Amino acid sequence: MKFSWRSAIGIALSVVLLWWTLHDVSMRVVWHELAQSSVPLFLASAFCATIIFPLRAFRWRTILQPVAPNTPFGPLWRSIAIGMMVNNLVPARAGEIARGYALSRETAIPLPTSIASLAVDRLFDMLVLLLLAVLALLDPAFPRGAHIAGQSLGSLAQGSVAIVVLLLMALYSLAFFPSQLVRAYELFARRISPSLETKGKAVLISFSEGLSVLRSPRRFLAVLAWTILHWVVNGFAFWLGFRAVGMNLPFSAALFLQTLIAIGVALPSAPGFFGVFEKLANVGLAIYGVGADRATSWAIGYHILSFIPITVIGVYYFARLGLRFNEIESARESTV
């Protein structure tokens, strides 16, 4: 994989955030906290953090149903494991392309269609994460008057909702009016390059096919249900980790923290989101009055234990399918 300027920025940001996180904590206290933590609860937390990926496979099959009916579970699950492994080991979120490419290798689903379905996948993630975060804010246990980086959580939530609404409008426009948008693209691209017009038109058509699930209310609800289950289980994994290090926090705290972290890791970062994850864990848990030492103990313990299983599984499937990183790099360049 090529090392881009975005990769360099992501790694630098992760290093700075990790240093910032560890600078104000006592590592002796952190290791003591981890040594005293509940191993069974941490293992249960890691198990729940891993089973969310098969759940994502079931959801992905539902998203792809209009364009690829009855796609087998196996290729979907293997592709998701490979994508997460690549995200954990390679910078610049290359795992998203790896996931789509791995599926296109095992099935007849075109890469642009696969990538488009991942846009729907992420859209549902943001919708449900924001919904669960709102429920967490409404919980009487949530500290009132909380701020992050000087901004009230209300204003941050409004900004996030606005972004999701704009993205939703763009995707629905492409899903319901593909021919009009393709025509507009043709008129624009024709003035620049005929080859760009032909290639871009094919990509847009395949992309719109991947958004087909948005045209069916029944499938929309099915994908929504899978997404809610996914993030509730992930929140439960967070909460079990809280209990493992002795943090007696409500389940709503896990729902709030996972939203904060999910939004934060969208920034460029090092592979595996190290640094960004730990800093946001400290920021989010501080709102609930958790000290930096204990918050860091949870973040390190949970992050490492949830990192290992899916990475090992992804490496196994990556080797089993005979994939190469240069293939993924070529696939990424072809989608740009």
Side-chain angles (χ1 to χ4, degrees), residues 2-321:
K2 293 181 180 179
F3 191 80
S4 65
W5 63 267
R6 183 180 177 186
S7 301
I9 292 175
I11 292 173
L13 179 61
S14 289
V15 170
V16 169
L17 290 176
L18 192 58
W19 172 84
W20 189 9
T21 301
L22 301 180
H23 180 70
D24 295 326
V25 303
S26 168
M27 291 308 299
R28 181 181 61 81
V29 174
V30 169
W31 298 131
H32 177 74
E33 292 271 5
L34 288 173
Q36 298 298 313
S37 64
S38 169
V39 174
L41 283 176
F42 251 141
L43 291 177
S45 174
F47 173 77
C48 289
T50 303
I51 64 170
I52 64 171
F53 297 107
L55 294 178
R56 293 188 82 92
F58 285 114
R59 178 180 68 172
W60 199 11
R61 181 164 64 178
T62 305
I63 292 173
L64 288 168
Q65 186 67 19
V67 293
N70 304 316
T71 303
F73 173 81
L76 295 166
W77 153 238
R78 288 189 289 271
S79 298
I80 287 172
I82 288 169
M84 193 62 202
M85 176 274 294
V86 172
N87 270 342
N88 284 346
L89 300 181
V90 177
R93 299 295 296 240
E96 300 305 300
I97 299 297
R99 177 177 163 188
Y101 178 73
L103 184 65
S104 68
R105 275 280 302 269
E106 285 205 80
T107 67
I109 300 172
L111 180 60
T113 300
S114 178
I115 297 300
S117 70
L118 296 184
V120 177
D121 184 281
R122 291 305 181 190
L123 174 64
F124 275 90
D125 280 342
M126 290 305 301
L127 289 174
V128 169
L129 281 167
L130 289 173
L131 172 63
L132 295 177
V134 168
L135 293 178
L137 294 175
L138 294 176
D139 187 341
F142 185 82
R144 299 302 151 195
H147 286 69
I148 294 179
Q151 298 292 319
S152 71
L153 290 175
S155 62
L156 291 174
Q158 289 174 2
S160 299
V161 169
I163 293 173
V164 172
V165 169
L166 290 174
L167 178 59
L168 188 63
M169 290 172 60
L171 292 176
Y172 263 96
S173 296
L174 186 54
F176 281 93
F177 308 105
S179 59
Q180 291 88 334
L181 290 176
V182 168
R183 179 59 180 164
Y185 171 81
E186 286 178 319
L187 294 174
F188 170 77
R190 192 170 299 157
R191 299 175 178 272
I192 301 174
S193 168
S195 61
L196 183 64
E197 176 189 351
T198 303
K199 180 180 177 181
K201 178 181 177 181
V203 170
L204 276 176
I205 292 174
S206 295
F207 198 83
S208 67
E209 290 174 352
L211 303 177
S212 299
V213 67
L214 298 179
R215 303 183 194 123
S216 167
R218 182 177 61 83
R219 290 196 183 95
F220 182 97
L221 292 175
V223 174
L224 182 65
W226 280 116
T227 309
I228 292 172
L229 178 60
H230 168 279
W231 287 109
V232 168
V233 172
N234 191 75
F236 187 60
F238 272 41
W239 184 80
L240 287 173
F242 293 168
R243 304 292 292 184
V245 295
M247 293 192 298
N248 189 24
L249 297 177
F251 182 63
S252 59
L255 299 181
F256 169 76
L257 184 62
Q258 73 175 359
T259 301
L260 180 64
I261 290 176
I263 294 173
V265 298
L267 296 171
S269 64
F273 317 116
F274 285 97
V276 177
F277 184 97
E278 284 71 21
K279 184 59 185 178
L280 290 173
N282 271 258
V283 171
L285 290 172
I287 292 174
Y288 289 87
V290 177
D293 292 336
R294 180 157 292 185
T296 303
S297 300
W298 172 79
I300 291 175
Y302 176 86
H303 200 175
I304 292 175
L305 286 175
S306 61
F307 176 95
I308 293 173
I310 193 62
T311 303
V312 172
I313 294 169
V315 167
Y316 169 74
Y317 286 136
F318 191 86
R320 177 177 159 184
L321 294 177

